[in-house]
Amino acid sequence: FSWPIDVIVGEDDSDLYVMDPGGHTLRHIDLDDPDHTVTTVAGAVGNSGSVDGFGTDVRMSEPRALERGEGNTVWLMDALNSEVRTLDLDTAEVVTVAGTAEEWGHLDGIGPAAIFMNPSGGAWLPDGRLFMTETASSTIRVLYEATTEVATVGGFDPDEGGFEQMC
């Protein structure tokens, strides 16, 4: 591991998923294995970038947070790519849902039209909302799963030049 920062437990409590931003990966630990075998679920150790795909063909850049969604969906906050992505635990497919790699800023929008500055934490609600912390812009954002719309909930308002509570 290189700077492990977040973990979630699988549905049957025998799987531990570890976000490893220094390695640009999501790792898996088999808790039923006495040796606690570690495998890479998404990304390739030491290789950053922004590539959707399957397993070790995926590229991320310092992903900082993961959050369980519905079923076997895991939400990934890919910090330095400023993207929000999903991982299907059954297939190991990673898909970018919102944001665009190498576009930093603060703009509400739908899917790739939304612009982030370092999405770094998340909380998913069963109604399909994903709340995220965005450290570089000091904001809280929400992504609506059904539409991929991203909106600012509170924090720094760049149009006003300062902090304000928006909720």
Side-chain angles (χ1 to χ4, degrees), residues 8 19 26 41-43 51-55 58-60 63 65-78 83-99 124 128-130 132 143-146 148:
I8 59 171
M19 190 59 82
L26 175 64
V41 176
V51 177
D52 289 349
F54 296 87
V58 170
R59 294 296 175 265
M60 298 182 282
L66 66 162
E67 177 68 23
R68 288 218 41 122
E70 188 171 2
N72 276 333
T73 299
V74 174
W75 291 90
L76 309 172
M77 276 44 80
D78 194 350
E83 296 174 318
V84 178
R85 305 168 90 177
T86 57
L87 165 73
D88 182 323
L89 288 175
D90 292 328
T91 65
E93 182 179 20
V94 172
V95 175
T96 301
V97 175
W124 185 82
R129 290 179 296 166
L130 175 70
M132 298 166 280
L143 182 145
Y144 298 92
E145 183 176 17
T148 70

Side-chain angles (χ1 to χ4, degrees), residues 10 17-18 23 58 70 116 131 167:
Y17 296 92
V18 181
V58 170
E70 188 171 2
F116 298 97
F131 287 91
C167 37

